[in-house]
Amino acid sequence: MEVRDCLISAPGKAILHGEHAVVHGKVALAVSLNLRTYLQLKARSDGKVCINLPNIDTFVCWELSELKQLTSFLREMQRLDAELVKRLREFIGVTNGNLDSSTSAILAFLYIYLSLFGSGLTVSVWSELPTGAGLGSSAAYSVCLAAAFLCATGNIPTPLKEWCQEDLELINSWAFQGEKIIHGNPSGVDNAVGTWGGMLRFLAGKIIPLSRVPLLRILLTNTKVPRSTKVLVARVKDKINKFPSIMIPVLDSVDAISCTCEKVLTEMTCEPITGDHYNILEELIDINQHHLNVIGVGHPSLDTLCQVTAARGLHSKLTGAGGGGCGITLLRPVILSPSVEAGTMKDLRDCGYDCWETSIGGPGVQQHFPSSVKEEIMEVLNRY
């Protein structure tokens, strides 16, 4: 089989509106981040299979002969189940306990590689996304793996511009398998955002990519406060059970915010964008952040984020599970004073936070020529 070298990228994701409400049958809006994960696949003729993940200090090589028995077992099983995951874990020497980022990434790589490939190669991955911050870094990684293996083996074409819908659905289906290896029972939202980009509407298990959305500038802030999604989901559920007549209307309001936001963003693609559009988006951000505090997923670090940006006339909310983690701050398209953005980023970094100026609503998975990728990223990818 002739193997094609390839260079792939996929975006991270943020939740614009609908955190936690989606668990209770409400609408959530997920958007792509213009912070991307890059994967380079290069064929090898020395019988080795290597994975290089410099973000998490991981470099592993196997001989093809080591993988043969595992390949046979996987293809006999023909589906991802607990027994297969157990065999993969045994192969890399992990049998007990929770998996760290490195081990999870290796397991996802092995599963998708063994399912779709069979030749020597080196895969190198570099990400602009922080890991474990609720920004879809594992899904972007899985999307890149799926697209690279499918493309390198000719299962999908090398596109001049974009893959067709059928190709994207195939990429997404394999990426979802990688997410299942890493997370066990994922929603599928993160890998769908990584595949299609733009904005997706998630309701009652159905994921609907929205055909056109405006590109919005944001500040993305990582408070670096660790949180447990499982604990926060349980906290919200407990509040709903305790105060249903109070909490259910709050979730209904969050649902209405998501729907109103979707309507405004759709209008922004069909008519001239005005300050009124941004006024509404900013009000929705403020209202939703108050609701998220009411349902119990706020945190003092997120309150500080909102206060720091409000002092500069900007509007922020948490994104993801809450309880710490990340927040987004909407930036208007015209920079009235560059010092406002620079000053805001300095203020946030002085709080001990990481902060990036980026955008949401950009493209999903893409193939690149090396010349189109930043030099510093290519330098990292070419080290091995």
Side-chain angles (χ1 to χ4, degrees):
M1 176 180 65
E2 183 182 353
V3 176
R4 310 171 191 165
D5 291 357
C6 56
L7 179 60
I8 305 289
S9 77
K13 78 93 180 55
I15 301 296
L16 190 55
H17 290 295
E19 295 91 342
H20 292 280
V22 68
V23 179
H24 303 279
K26 310 300 181 183
V27 171
L29 298 179
V31 290
S32 61
L33 287 169
N34 193 25
L35 294 172
R36 301 181 73 85
T37 294
Y38 293 84
L39 181 152
Q40 181 169 249
L41 184 154
K42 287 190 172 182
R44 301 178 67 123
S45 58
D46 61 358
K48 290 185 181 295
V49 176
C50 302
I51 175 76
N52 170 39
L53 305 170
N55 290 90
I56 51 175
D57 298 319
T58 298
F59 181 77
V60 184
C61 274
W62 302 275
E63 298 288 342
L64 274 172
S65 55
E66 294 180 74
L67 298 173
K68 277 186 178 178
Q69 188 175 357
L70 195 57
T71 303
S72 299
F73 177 77
L74 184 147
R75 291 179 180 170
E76 283 174 16
M77 297 292 291
Q78 296 185 336
R79 62 189 177 89
L80 180 58
D81 64 9
E83 182 61 26
L84 178 53
V85 173
K86 180 183 175 185
R87 285 291 292 269
L88 290 171
R89 289 173 66 133
E90 288 172 350
F91 177 78
I92 63 173
V94 176
T95 55
N96 298 310
N98 295 325
L99 303 179
D100 59 20
S101 297
S102 176
T103 306
S104 297
I106 291 169
L107 287 174
F109 167 82
L110 279 173
Y111 176 73
I112 299 176
Y113 166 81
L114 294 170
S115 299
L116 296 174
F117 221 73
S119 305
L121 55 76
T122 295
V123 164
S124 296
V125 183
W126 173 256
S127 186
E128 297 172 323
L129 293 159
T131 58
L135 300 177
S137 61
S138 68
Y141 168 73
S142 294
V143 169
C144 285
L145 285 175
F149 289 139
L150 289 166
C151 193
T153 54
N155 284 292
I156 59 175
T158 302
L160 293 174
K161 291 186 178 180
E162 297 178 350
W163 281 293
C164 71
Q165 187 69 12
E166 185 179 346
D167 297 330
L168 292 172
E169 287 173 358
L170 186 60
I171 291 169
N172 188 54
S173 66
W174 279 105
F176 186 55
Q177 297 303 304
E179 280 285 86
K180 287 170 73 174
I181 289 277
I182 295 170
H183 295 296
N185 187 31
S187 68
V189 171
D190 289 13
N191 50 278
V193 172
T195 301
W196 278 279
M199 183 167 72
L200 285 82
R201 189 178 202 266
F202 186 59
L203 175 63
K206 293 182 180 179
I207 301 169
I208 304 169
L210 302 181
S211 56
R212 294 180 64 200
V213 291
L215 200 66
L216 299 177
R217 296 173 59 245
I218 63 162
L219 292 182
L220 175 69
T221 302
N222 184 3
T223 68
K224 297 189 281 190
V225 174
R227 75 282 182 277
S228 166
T229 299
K230 185 177 179 180
V231 168
L232 290 160
V233 169
R235 182 184 300 169
V236 174
K237 186 177 179 180
D238 182 60
K239 271 205 168 188
I240 293 169
N241 289 336
K242 193 173 182 181
F243 306 111
S245 62
I246 298 171
M247 299 306 296
I248 290 174
V250 174
L251 294 177
D252 289 339
S253 180
V254 172
D255 184 69
I257 289 169
S258 298
C259 295
T260 304
C261 180
E262 182 182 341
K263 180 183 175 184
V264 172
L265 293 175
T266 301
E267 288 176 359
M268 292 170 74
T269 65
C270 302
E271 58 189 56
I273 297 174
T274 68
D276 287 341
H277 289 122
Y278 276 87
N279 290 339
I280 295 170
L281 292 178
E282 288 169 349
E283 284 190 75
L284 293 176
I285 284 172
D286 293 341
I287 296 167
N288 201 5
Q289 179 60 25
H290 287 301
H291 284 352
L292 291 164
N293 280 327
V294 167
I295 66 175
V297 296
H299 190 271
S301 64
L302 294 164
D303 294 339
T304 298
L305 163 63
C306 293
Q307 290 159 8
V308 166
T309 56
R312 300 273 184 173
L314 302 172
H315 302 258
S316 304
K317 65 176 288 293
L318 68 85
T319 180
C326 293
I328 56 175
T329 303
L330 184 63
L331 300 175
R332 296 205 175 208
V334 178
I335 304 174
L336 298 176
S337 172
S339 63
V340 170
E341 290 176 26
T344 303
M345 293 177 75
K346 180 184 182 302
D347 292 345
L348 291 168
R349 287 170 178 153
D350 287 347
C351 294
Y353 304 161
D354 289 336
C355 191
W356 303 265
E357 183 185 344
T358 185
S359 58
I360 55 177
V365 63
Q366 293 179 314
Q367 185 167 13
H368 302 272
F369 292 109
S371 59
S372 69
V373 176
K374 296 174 188 174
E375 277 186 31
E376 57 267 33
I377 293 174
M378 289 308 304
E379 183 183 339
V380 174
L381 294 175
N382 285 325
R383 281 180 193 163
Y384 294 88

